[in-house]
Amino acid sequence: MPHELATWMDWLKGHPELLTLCASTLLVLGAWLANWMVKRILVRGLYRLVATGLNGGAKLQDHGLIKRLANVVPALVLASGVKVIPGLPTSLVTVVTNVCAAFIILTLALALSAVLDIVNGLYQRRPDAHLRPIKGYLQVLKIAVFAIAAILMVASLIDRSPLILLSGLGAMAAVLMLIFQDTLLSLVASVQITSNDIIRVGDWVEMPQLNADGDVIDIALHTVKVQNWDKTITTIPTKRFITDSFKNWRGMQESGGRRIKRSLFLDQNSVHFLDADDLARLHRFRLLDGYLKAKESELLSWNAQLDESSRLPINSRQLTNIGTFRAYVENYLRHSGDIRQDMTLLVRQMAPTADGLPLELYCFTNTTAWARYEAIQSDIFDHLLAILPEFGLRVFQHPSGADMRELRLPAQSPQATPAAAFDHSSG
């Protein structure tokens, strides 16, 4: 057998072109075999080792770190073997070697990018990861890695020192800054957002100028993704959170109370003083018992100081139905288990408008959940709208078609006009 092999070698030496072809074929097969062995044996073994030793094995496999590193082996085989193949032109050997070197650099850059993805994935497992996201910083590192890899790859392909390319970059600094200005601005914005804790993943933000109103689901170097309440996603440049105004509802969520700021518009023509019958009827309200007793005692003491000529009802102080209703609403909120008593609670009368007299409720619920908040607010105003007639008050609303159909004009008064017969203030 050794004699036959020697004979074949002697014969191939007499045919240099065929020897070069056979050696090149064997080199390619050797590179393919090395690639197959590494991925079939070494890579699978590493996956099993990592999966049994660490919980992060699945994360490594997802990012393809080990597979990318395995691609280095066939490139090393080709770069080393092409130099010993007889008969190849020197220029071809140089080209293959340089291409293999550039491929190895690219593979290592991709592997390092996968490592950064793994780092981000492991960091996301921390319970406080949403408070200080590092995704933007890792993306900056990726840009630096691929920029350096690009320089080294070009240097390998042209077979020149990378220092020559780096020296030429000084003159291109202005051009590079122009090209990467968005990246630089986004980097500065990311640093400010993180250091000043402006937004976090999970925050409810509202930016009307960009039609964004929802939860932040991702903070990256260049963009921030906001999932709106209609389940659409708005992508906002990171720098806009520094240059533009927006509302972050995190403070409300952390306080545990959500504000109710809403008004009842009352018909001003229904406001009047309370007579004895009204007071007797309102004394039935448990929430008004203390208020009415204190108010009646105060007014009695005040009016007792007036002389005989000033004790007429027109000259004395009297209770009004709107003031009593305002006290009732405040006591109703004070006794509600759904309203925060340690936060601001006001029932105030606002300036009259053409739409009636606004009676505003300003308070905070004990929950920030949207559905529960709306239910509490609706229950409160349902009750107040239903209880209003007990105080002799009416809600103001503009006339509708039903009001016009119910209007009846006296047949014996042809001079009467609809304007005279219709009460514009009551709806």
Side-chain angles (χ1 to χ4, degrees), residues 320-383:
T320 62
N321 60 343
I322 189 171
T324 306
F325 178 69
R326 180 162 48 84
Y328 172 82
V329 175
E330 181 174 349
N331 287 330
Y332 178 78
L333 296 177
R334 294 289 182 190
H335 288 80
S336 174
D338 296 321
I339 301 299
R340 293 282 297 264
Q341 303 301 318
D342 57 338
M343 294 185 175
T344 304
L345 194 158
L346 294 174
V347 180
R348 55 181 180 172
Q349 188 180 128
M350 308 296 287
T353 69
D355 293 324
L357 179 64
L359 188 69
E360 184 184 80
L361 278 66
Y362 192 104
C363 57
F364 291 81
T365 62
N366 61 359
T367 179
T368 61
W370 187 14
R372 180 61 184 152
Y373 163 80
E374 294 293 350
I376 293 173
Q377 181 174 233
S378 299
D379 288 343
I380 291 173
F381 280 89
D382 289 347
H383 175 78

Side-chain angles (χ1 to χ4, degrees), residues 243-375:
T243 60
D244 293 7
S245 61
F246 69 98
K247 182 186 291 186
N248 191 337
W249 291 81
R250 188 203 312 160
M252 178 271 294
Q253 294 171 334
E254 291 178 346
S255 70
R258 187 169 177 181
R259 184 183 69 175
I260 295 177
K261 186 176 182 291
R262 183 170 159 185
S263 298
L264 278 173
F265 287 85
L266 304 178
D267 182 2
Q268 298 175 84
N269 291 325
S270 64
V271 178
H272 59 79
F273 292 113
L274 297 178
D275 55 24
D277 293 336
D278 294 330
L279 288 172
R281 186 179 67 256
L282 292 178
H283 267 292
R284 297 178 296 126
F285 288 83
R286 180 176 57 86
L287 295 177
L288 286 176
D289 190 49
Y291 168 79
L292 289 176
K293 288 181 179 178
K295 211 64 177 170
E296 287 176 341
S297 176
E298 176 188 343
L299 296 184
L300 184 62
S301 174
W302 175 273
N303 293 331
Q305 300 176 11
L306 301 177
D307 54 27
E308 291 296 333
S309 61
S310 300
R311 289 184 181 180
L312 297 175
I314 195 64
N315 296 322
S316 61
R317 289 178 59 186
Q318 303 178 61
L319 286 172
T320 62
N321 60 343
I322 189 171
T324 306
F325 178 69
R326 180 162 48 84
Y328 172 82
V329 175
E330 181 174 349
N331 287 330
Y332 178 78
L333 296 177
R334 294 289 182 190
H335 288 80
S336 174
D338 296 321
I339 301 299
R340 293 282 297 264
Q341 303 301 318
D342 57 338
M343 294 185 175
T344 304
L345 194 158
L346 294 174
V347 180
R348 55 181 180 172
Q349 188 180 128
M350 308 296 287
T353 69
D355 293 324
L357 179 64
L359 188 69
E360 184 184 80
L361 278 66
Y362 192 104
C363 57
F364 291 81
T365 62
N366 61 359
T367 179
T368 61
W370 187 14
R372 180 61 184 152
Y373 163 80
E374 294 293 350

Side-chain angles (χ1 to χ4, degrees), residues 176-287:
L176 291 176
M177 290 185 66
L178 180 63
I179 295 174
F180 294 104
Q181 62 175 339
D182 291 335
T183 300
L184 295 175
L185 291 174
S186 299
L187 174 60
V188 174
S190 297
V191 172
Q192 291 181 335
I193 287 174
T194 303
S195 60
N196 297 325
D197 197 19
I198 296 177
I199 56 173
R200 306 173 187 167
V201 174
D203 283 355
W204 171 13
V205 299
E206 186 178 349
M207 190 176 285
Q209 61 269 32
L210 297 180
N211 295 322
D213 185 10
D215 292 333
V216 177
I217 59 175
D218 183 59
I219 301 176
L221 176 63
H222 294 92
T223 58
V224 174
K225 292 183 180 178
V226 177
Q227 186 175 49
N228 301 308
W229 300 123
D230 58 359
K231 300 306 179 183
T232 59
I233 295 177
T234 301
T235 302
I236 304 173
T238 306
K239 61 184 179 181
R240 295 293 294 270
F241 285 91
I242 302 298
T243 60
D244 293 7
S245 61
F246 69 98
K247 182 186 291 186
N248 191 337
W249 291 81
R250 188 203 312 160
M252 178 271 294
Q253 294 171 334
E254 291 178 346
S255 70
R258 187 169 177 181
R259 184 183 69 175
I260 295 177
K261 186 176 182 291
R262 183 170 159 185
S263 298
L264 278 173
F265 287 85
L266 304 178
D267 182 2
Q268 298 175 84
N269 291 325
S270 64
V271 178
H272 59 79
F273 292 113
L274 297 178
D275 55 24
D277 293 336
D278 294 330
L279 288 172
R281 186 179 67 256
L282 292 178
H283 267 292
R284 297 178 296 126
F285 288 83
R286 180 176 57 86
L287 295 177

